[in-house]
Structure formats: C-alpha cells, structure tokens
Amino acid sequence: MLYGIDIFSGAGGLSLGAEMAGASIMFAVEKDKSAAETYRYNHNDTPVICDDIHNINPLQHITPIGPNDQLIVFGGPPCQGFSTSNTVTRNMQNPNNSLFEEFVRFVSVIQPDWFLFENVEGFYRFEKGTIRNKVKHCFEDLGYTVNDALLTASDYGVPQHRHRYIMVGNRHGIEFAFPEKQEKKYTVADAISDLPALVNGQMEDILPYACPASKASEYARQMRNGSRRSRQNYVSRNADYVIERYKYIKQGQNWEAIPNELMRNYKNRNNCHSGIYKRLMQDKPSVVISNYRKNMLIHPWQDRGLSVREAARLQSFPDAFIFKGTLMDIQQQIGNAVPPLLAKSVFESIIKTSNKQE
C-alpha cells in the first residue's frame, strides 16, 4: 500500500487522484480554512491540519505503516509567484516562492520512499530554470533520484488544456517514467452538456440533470458515478452590461469581439488579457480554469459565466465532491486545484513502479 501525506492540499485534487489510483492518505496540511473544510468534508477519514506549515512538525502526525508499505509526500506550494499570468509580483521577493523550502523540509524530516512536487508551468521556466534546478538539487542532495516533466491535463482524460509541472523522486534509485498520453480527448460539450441550463446569478444547490445517464457522454457518466442530481449549480451574478457584452462573443472569441462603445470603462483595451471574456468552444477541451469568475469565462452556448459544477467538471472533480465556503472561496478552490484525473494517472505510475520494486 502507498500511504500519502498531502501538504498545501487545497481542496484535495491531488489526494482525490491518489485515492482513485489506490493510495491511502495519512494526513493533509492546508492553511486556508475554507479549503481545509472542503478537504475534510470529502475525505472524512483523513485528518486535516489547518495551520501555517512553518508551525508543523510532521513526525508528530505520522502513523506506523507495514514493512511492505511505502510512503509519499506530495503537494503544490502556492504558485502565485511563479505564475506566468502574474506580472506584478513574479519574482523571488514574493513570499510564496519560499514555500517550496517547507516542502523540502518535510521530505528531509520524513524521508519518504517517494515525493511528488507539483506546480504551475511557470515554475519550470522561472528565472530561466534556476529555481527548478535548485529544488531538484535539494532533493538529489537528500538521496533522491529525480525526474520531472510538464504534463497537459487534456492528455490524461481531463477536458481542459491545463499545463502542470510535476517532479517525482524516490530514494530507491528508480528512474521514474511518467504516464503515457491518452489518445482520447474530451471536450467541453462532453463535460457539461448533461448539466442543467442556468441563468446569470442562479444559485440552486440541487437540480435534475438535463438528460438521463444513458444519453450522457462517457465522461459525464464517469463524473456522475451514481449521483442522482446536479449539485452546487451556482453562477456569479454579473451586471447587465457584462451580459450584454457576452452576446457579441462567439465560441473561441474573447473581449476583442465586443464593440468599442460597450467597453468604454476600459481606459486602454490593449491592456486587456487575452483570457478575459473568453467563450469556451464546445468541441474542444477548455482553456485553463483558473480564476474563472475574475476572467469572466463564458459558457459555450449560454450568455452567462460558468457554474461551480461546470467548472468542477472541467477540472475532473466528480459530482459527489462538494465544495465548502463562500462562492468566491469555492471558485478559488476549483481554480487552484490539480485536476484529479491528471493526478490519478501520475499516482498509478508511481504505484506500478513501486510494486515492481517489491
């Protein structure tokens, strides 16, 4: 059995993927109260330590495992400082950038069989790879054989083009091979076509699905997995003038399709990010679901923003997974999460590799 310790856990996307692959989670660490509440609700057998990671001695929380079991520490330190979308504090003075040192501390103290370090694509290229190499050398100095890669979520069953940097290491001298890409790509329509039609600002916790499971896509059936109703059908309320702008944007287009007279509150349209007012394309995987409320991502065929459940589907969270906190808290948790199906593929490779070693 592979036992995991999830640090910087957020809502628990990595843990969910690990559990799908067959791992068991020993405990999790998450400072944000709402994210910790979400994790606790969906992983009710897993202790969650809601505290600043600097205050935690991991040895006080580890429980014994069997002689043939293995232990993995995994997680993604907050990544705002490395994100390519952050042009304000993208430098080493950002305090979030030092949190990878806490990850290294946990590995140094616990000395697990494996570790999995996850972060945004920008971490790989940040300061021309200097920080990535520094982290890699830290683990190598601790005796770990390290392999890393940039993975795209849509290659692993997630209906979203999301790039994640993942570093995997083990202290058994094994050259780890990342999972092979899947040929099948799921689209936005595959992900959300069976969910209920909604309107701007609608806040319905429970609604019937738009079609029976027999008529839903393969992906939607996987997400439903026995759920009888669609949960957390929450849509942010946008101002009427924002909804009016949406009407001019076709699938795949962004703010550039909006007439000038409707964008007069923008002093300089040239400063608009390309991801603002982006309408999703139904026949392709989604663009990145990050802060989808702030970016005002648009439903492919309805003039409104994405619901909580639609965004969760595009991140590969099953419908039984319930998020806690305010609407803004929930939207942030979804945007920050590692897609569980991407995590599942990587953990399956880790478990397969560790089993060969026995």
mmCIF file of all heavy atoms in Angstrom, residues 207-234:
data_model
loop_
_atom_site.group_PDB
_atom_site.id
_atom_site.type_symbol
_atom_site.label_atom_id
_atom_site.label_comp_id
_atom_site.label_asym_id
_atom_site.label_seq_id
_atom_site.Cartn_x
_atom_site.Cartn_y
_atom_site.Cartn_z
ATOM 1 N N LEU A 207 -30.416 20.326 -8.642
ATOM 2 C CA LEU A 207 -31.265 20.369 -9.828
ATOM 3 C C LEU A 207 -31.155 19.039 -10.559
ATOM 4 O O LEU A 207 -30.118 18.366 -10.475
ATOM 5 C CB LEU A 207 -30.839 21.499 -10.770
ATOM 6 C CG LEU A 207 -31.167 22.934 -10.359
ATOM 7 C CD1 LEU A 207 -30.506 23.917 -11.318
ATOM 8 C CD2 LEU A 207 -32.674 23.174 -10.311
ATOM 9 N N PRO A 208 -32.176 18.657 -11.308
ATOM 10 C CA PRO A 208 -32.074 17.424 -12.096
ATOM 11 C C PRO A 208 -31.100 17.590 -13.254
ATOM 12 O O PRO A 208 -30.907 18.697 -13.769
ATOM 13 C CB PRO A 208 -33.507 17.210 -12.594
ATOM 14 C CG PRO A 208 -34.122 18.563 -12.576
ATOM 15 C CD PRO A 208 -33.503 19.287 -11.418
ATOM 16 N N TYR A 209 -30.476 16.500 -13.655
ATOM 17 C CA TYR A 209 -29.639 16.533 -14.845
ATOM 18 C C TYR A 209 -30.503 16.812 -16.079
ATOM 19 O O TYR A 209 -31.709 16.558 -16.088
ATOM 20 C CB TYR A 209 -28.902 15.212 -15.010
ATOM 21 C CG TYR A 209 -27.815 14.973 -13.997
ATOM 22 C CD1 TYR A 209 -27.918 13.933 -13.070
ATOM 23 C CD2 TYR A 209 -26.675 15.769 -13.966
ATOM 24 C CE1 TYR A 209 -26.917 13.699 -12.138
ATOM 25 C CE2 TYR A 209 -25.669 15.549 -13.036
ATOM 26 C CZ TYR A 209 -25.795 14.517 -12.121
ATOM 27 O OH TYR A 209 -24.799 14.295 -11.202
ATOM 28 N N ALA A 210 -29.868 17.315 -17.122
ATOM 29 C CA ALA A 210 -30.604 17.656 -18.344
ATOM 30 C C ALA A 210 -30.976 16.432 -19.162
ATOM 31 O O ALA A 210 -31.815 16.517 -20.059
ATOM 32 C CB ALA A 210 -29.778 18.617 -19.191
ATOM 33 N N CYS A 211 -30.357 15.300 -18.872
ATOM 34 C CA CYS A 211 -30.676 14.073 -19.602
ATOM 35 C C CYS A 211 -30.328 12.879 -18.724
ATOM 36 O O CYS A 211 -29.532 12.994 -17.784
ATOM 37 C CB CYS A 211 -29.912 14.013 -20.928
ATOM 38 S SG CYS A 211 -28.125 13.833 -20.740
ATOM 39 N N PRO A 212 -30.910 11.720 -19.006
ATOM 40 C CA PRO A 212 -30.541 10.523 -18.242
ATOM 41 C C PRO A 212 -29.104 10.112 -18.543
ATOM 42 O O PRO A 212 -28.532 10.489 -19.579
ATOM 43 C CB PRO A 212 -31.533 9.472 -18.740
ATOM 44 C CG PRO A 212 -31.988 9.951 -20.076
ATOM 45 C CD PRO A 212 -31.955 11.444 -20.008
ATOM 46 N N ALA A 213 -28.537 9.335 -17.654
ATOM 47 C CA ALA A 213 -27.140 8.919 -17.812
ATOM 48 C C ALA A 213 -26.919 8.176 -19.116
ATOM 49 O O ALA A 213 -25.847 8.282 -19.728
ATOM 50 C CB ALA A 213 -26.722 8.054 -16.624
ATOM 51 N N SER A 214 -27.926 7.446 -19.567
ATOM 52 C CA SER A 214 -27.786 6.667 -20.801
ATOM 53 C C SER A 214 -27.551 7.544 -22.023
ATOM 54 O O SER A 214 -26.995 7.089 -23.026
ATOM 55 C CB SER A 214 -29.033 5.802 -21.021
ATOM 56 O OG SER A 214 -30.196 6.623 -21.123
ATOM 57 N N LYS A 215 -27.954 8.819 -21.956
ATOM 58 C CA LYS A 215 -27.777 9.744 -23.071
ATOM 59 C C LYS A 215 -26.623 10.722 -22.842
ATOM 60 O O LYS A 215 -26.341 11.558 -23.706
ATOM 61 C CB LYS A 215 -29.073 10.515 -23.318
ATOM 62 C CG LYS A 215 -30.219 9.637 -23.798
ATOM 63 C CD LYS A 215 -31.457 10.461 -24.148
ATOM 64 C CE LYS A 215 -32.573 9.572 -24.668
ATOM 65 N NZ LYS A 215 -33.783 10.361 -25.032
ATOM 66 N N ALA A 216 -25.983 10.614 -21.701
ATOM 67 C CA ALA A 216 -24.843 11.488 -21.399
ATOM 68 C C ALA A 216 -23.571 10.925 -22.013
ATOM 69 O O ALA A 216 -23.498 9.749 -22.388
ATOM 70 C CB ALA A 216 -24.680 11.633 -19.888
ATOM 71 N N SER A 217 -22.552 11.760 -22.115
ATOM 72 C CA SER A 217 -21.269 11.322 -22.667
ATOM 73 C C SER A 217 -20.569 10.352 -21.724
ATOM 74 O O SER A 217 -20.915 10.247 -20.533
ATOM 75 C CB SER A 217 -20.362 12.533 -22.910
ATOM 76 O OG SER A 217 -19.926 13.072 -21.667
ATOM 77 N N GLU A 218 -19.589 9.663 -22.255
ATOM 78 C CA GLU A 218 -18.778 8.759 -21.430
ATOM 79 C C GLU A 218 -18.158 9.515 -20.252
ATOM 80 O O GLU A 218 -18.155 9.032 -19.121
ATOM 81 C CB GLU A 218 -17.692 8.127 -22.299
ATOM 82 C CG GLU A 218 -16.729 7.216 -21.555
ATOM 83 C CD GLU A 218 -15.594 6.723 -22.426
ATOM 84 O OE1 GLU A 218 -15.216 7.460 -23.367
ATOM 85 O OE2 GLU A 218 -15.086 5.629 -22.174
ATOM 86 N N TYR A 219 -17.646 10.704 -20.540
ATOM 87 C CA TYR A 219 -17.020 11.497 -19.477
ATOM 88 C C TYR A 219 -18.050 11.908 -18.426
ATOM 89 O O TYR A 219 -17.793 11.812 -17.225
ATOM 90 C CB TYR A 219 -16.361 12.743 -20.074
ATOM 91 C CG TYR A 219 -15.701 13.613 -19.022
ATOM 92 C CD1 TYR A 219 -14.433 13.321 -18.542
ATOM 93 C CD2 TYR A 219 -16.364 14.716 -18.485
ATOM 94 C CE1 TYR A 219 -13.824 14.100 -17.565
ATOM 95 C CE2 TYR A 219 -15.767 15.501 -17.510
ATOM 96 C CZ TYR A 219 -14.502 15.186 -17.054
ATOM 97 O OH TYR A 219 -13.913 15.956 -16.070
ATOM 98 N N ALA A 220 -19.222 12.374 -18.862
ATOM 99 C CA ALA A 220 -20.255 12.803 -17.918
ATOM 100 C C ALA A 220 -20.703 11.636 -17.036
ATOM 101 O O ALA A 220 -20.920 11.808 -15.826
ATOM 102 C CB ALA A 220 -21.444 13.394 -18.669
ATOM 103 N N ARG A 221 -20.843 10.455 -17.613
ATOM 104 C CA ARG A 221 -21.223 9.289 -16.809
ATOM 105 C C ARG A 221 -20.165 8.994 -15.753
ATOM 106 O O ARG A 221 -20.473 8.618 -14.618
ATOM 107 C CB ARG A 221 -21.433 8.066 -17.710
ATOM 108 C CG ARG A 221 -22.657 8.178 -18.605
ATOM 109 C CD ARG A 221 -23.037 6.817 -19.188
ATOM 110 N NE ARG A 221 -21.976 6.238 -19.996
ATOM 111 C CZ ARG A 221 -21.820 6.459 -21.296
ATOM 112 N NH1 ARG A 221 -22.644 7.290 -21.938
ATOM 113 N NH2 ARG A 221 -20.844 5.878 -21.971
ATOM 114 N N GLN A 222 -18.911 9.184 -16.125
ATOM 115 C CA GLN A 222 -17.820 8.982 -15.173
ATOM 116 C C GLN A 222 -17.921 9.975 -14.021
ATOM 117 O O GLN A 222 -17.713 9.622 -12.859
ATOM 118 C CB GLN A 222 -16.474 9.153 -15.896
ATOM 119 C CG GLN A 222 -15.260 8.923 -15.024
ATOM 120 C CD GLN A 222 -13.964 9.158 -15.790
ATOM 121 O OE1 GLN A 222 -13.961 9.528 -16.956
ATOM 122 N NE2 GLN A 222 -12.845 8.937 -15.132
ATOM 123 N N MET A 223 -18.271 11.222 -14.320
ATOM 124 C CA MET A 223 -18.384 12.240 -13.285
ATOM 125 C C MET A 223 -19.627 12.028 -12.413
ATOM 126 O O MET A 223 -19.602 12.284 -11.211
ATOM 127 C CB MET A 223 -18.442 13.638 -13.913
ATOM 128 C CG MET A 223 -17.157 14.088 -14.603
ATOM 129 S SD MET A 223 -15.729 14.251 -13.485
ATOM 130 C CE MET A 223 -14.855 12.714 -13.826
ATOM 131 N N ARG A 224 -20.695 11.555 -13.006
ATOM 132 C CA ARG A 224 -21.928 11.333 -12.255
ATOM 133 C C ARG A 224 -21.768 10.162 -11.290
ATOM 134 O O ARG A 224 -22.117 10.265 -10.116
ATOM 135 C CB ARG A 224 -23.101 11.109 -13.220
ATOM 136 C CG ARG A 224 -23.552 12.407 -13.850
ATOM 137 C CD ARG A 224 -24.355 12.236 -15.129
ATOM 138 N NE ARG A 224 -25.725 11.794 -14.910
ATOM 139 C CZ ARG A 224 -26.733 12.080 -15.731
ATOM 140 N NH1 ARG A 224 -26.527 12.833 -16.808
ATOM 141 N NH2 ARG A 224 -27.939 11.634 -15.484
ATOM 142 N N ASN A 225 -21.280 9.054 -11.775
ATOM 143 C CA ASN A 225 -20.910 7.905 -10.945
ATOM 144 C C ASN A 225 -21.903 7.644 -9.820
ATOM 145 O O ASN A 225 -21.543 7.593 -8.636
ATOM 146 C CB ASN A 225 -19.501 8.096 -10.359
ATOM 147 C CG ASN A 225 -18.967 6.811 -9.735
ATOM 148 O OD1 ASN A 225 -19.372 5.722 -10.119
ATOM 149 N ND2 ASN A 225 -18.067 6.945 -8.768
ATOM 150 N N GLY A 226 -23.167 7.534 -10.178
ATOM 151 C CA GLY A 226 -24.184 7.225 -9.179
ATOM 152 C C GLY A 226 -24.911 8.437 -8.617
ATOM 153 O O GLY A 226 -25.922 8.282 -7.916
ATOM 154 N N SER A 227 -24.424 9.653 -8.877
ATOM 155 C CA SER A 227 -25.110 10.857 -8.388
ATOM 156 C C SER A 227 -26.456 10.992 -9.114
ATOM 157 O O SER A 227 -26.530 10.830 -10.332
ATOM 158 C CB SER A 227 -24.268 12.114 -8.649
ATOM 159 O OG SER A 227 -23.071 12.071 -7.910
ATOM 160 N N ARG A 228 -27.489 11.318 -8.377
ATOM 161 C CA ARG A 228 -28.827 11.397 -8.956
ATOM 162 C C ARG A 228 -29.207 12.815 -9.374
ATOM 163 O O ARG A 228 -30.144 12.998 -10.151
ATOM 164 C CB ARG A 228 -29.854 10.871 -7.947
ATOM 165 C CG ARG A 228 -29.677 9.402 -7.617
ATOM 166 C CD ARG A 228 -30.755 8.915 -6.681
ATOM 167 N NE ARG A 228 -30.624 7.480 -6.396
ATOM 168 C CZ ARG A 228 -31.446 6.814 -5.608
ATOM 169 N NH1 ARG A 228 -32.473 7.438 -5.015
ATOM 170 N NH2 ARG A 228 -31.266 5.525 -5.399
ATOM 171 N N ARG A 229 -28.516 13.795 -8.834
ATOM 172 C CA ARG A 229 -28.833 15.191 -9.129
ATOM 173 C C ARG A 229 -27.539 15.986 -9.297
ATOM 174 O O ARG A 229 -26.488 15.609 -8.782
ATOM 175 C CB ARG A 229 -29.674 15.823 -8.003
ATOM 176 C CG ARG A 229 -31.046 15.198 -7.786
ATOM 177 C CD ARG A 229 -32.001 15.549 -8.908
ATOM 178 N NE ARG A 229 -33.371 15.130 -8.628
ATOM 179 C CZ ARG A 229 -33.866 13.933 -8.927
ATOM 180 N NH1 ARG A 229 -33.064 13.024 -9.500
ATOM 181 N NH2 ARG A 229 -35.119 13.627 -8.664
ATOM 182 N N SER A 230 -27.643 17.088 -10.003
ATOM 183 C CA SER A 230 -26.515 18.010 -10.128
ATOM 184 C C SER A 230 -26.478 18.922 -8.907
ATOM 185 O O SER A 230 -27.480 19.551 -8.565
ATOM 186 C CB SER A 230 -26.673 18.843 -11.404
ATOM 187 O OG SER A 230 -25.650 19.816 -11.497
ATOM 188 N N ARG A 231 -25.327 18.990 -8.271
ATOM 189 C CA ARG A 231 -25.172 19.783 -7.050
ATOM 190 C C ARG A 231 -24.378 21.060 -7.312
ATOM 191 O O ARG A 231 -23.585 21.135 -8.225
ATOM 192 C CB ARG A 231 -24.427 18.968 -5.985
ATOM 193 C CG ARG A 231 -25.146 17.731 -5.495
ATOM 194 C CD ARG A 231 -26.357 18.065 -4.638
ATOM 195 N NE ARG A 231 -26.016 18.968 -3.558
ATOM 196 C CZ ARG A 231 -25.531 18.581 -2.368
ATOM 197 N NH1 ARG A 231 -25.290 17.301 -2.128
ATOM 198 N NH2 ARG A 231 -25.275 19.468 -1.418
ATOM 199 N N GLN A 232 -24.606 22.051 -6.481
ATOM 200 C CA GLN A 232 -23.867 23.316 -6.480
ATOM 201 C C GLN A 232 -23.897 24.006 -7.848
ATOM 202 O O GLN A 232 -22.881 24.335 -8.441
ATOM 203 C CB GLN A 232 -22.435 23.092 -5.997
ATOM 204 C CG GLN A 232 -22.397 22.594 -4.546
ATOM 205 C CD GLN A 232 -21.021 22.639 -3.929
ATOM 206 O OE1 GLN A 232 -20.088 22.038 -4.431
ATOM 207 N NE2 GLN A 232 -20.893 23.366 -2.830
ATOM 208 N N ASN A 233 -25.107 24.226 -8.322
ATOM 209 C CA ASN A 233 -25.320 24.928 -9.592
ATOM 210 C C ASN A 233 -25.339 26.433 -9.320
ATOM 211 O O ASN A 233 -26.365 27.099 -9.453
ATOM 212 C CB ASN A 233 -26.625 24.457 -10.226
ATOM 213 C CG ASN A 233 -26.662 22.950 -10.394
ATOM 214 O OD1 ASN A 233 -26.028 22.402 -11.289
ATOM 215 N ND2 ASN A 233 -27.396 22.266 -9.512
ATOM 216 N N TYR A 234 -24.193 26.955 -8.926
ATOM 217 C CA TYR A 234 -24.057 28.354 -8.507
ATOM 218 C C TYR A 234 -23.378 29.164 -9.606
ATOM 219 O O TYR A 234 -22.274 28.821 -10.041
ATOM 220 C CB TYR A 234 -23.220 28.470 -7.234
ATOM 221 C CG TYR A 234 -23.680 27.624 -6.068
ATOM 222 C CD1 TYR A 234 -22.749 27.131 -5.152
ATOM 223 C CD2 TYR A 234 -25.026 27.316 -5.854
ATOM 224 C CE1 TYR A 234 -23.135 26.366 -4.059
ATOM 225 C CE2 TYR A 234 -25.422 26.556 -4.769
ATOM 226 C CZ TYR A 234 -24.472 26.075 -3.876
ATOM 227 O OH TYR A 234 -24.860 25.309 -2.794
#
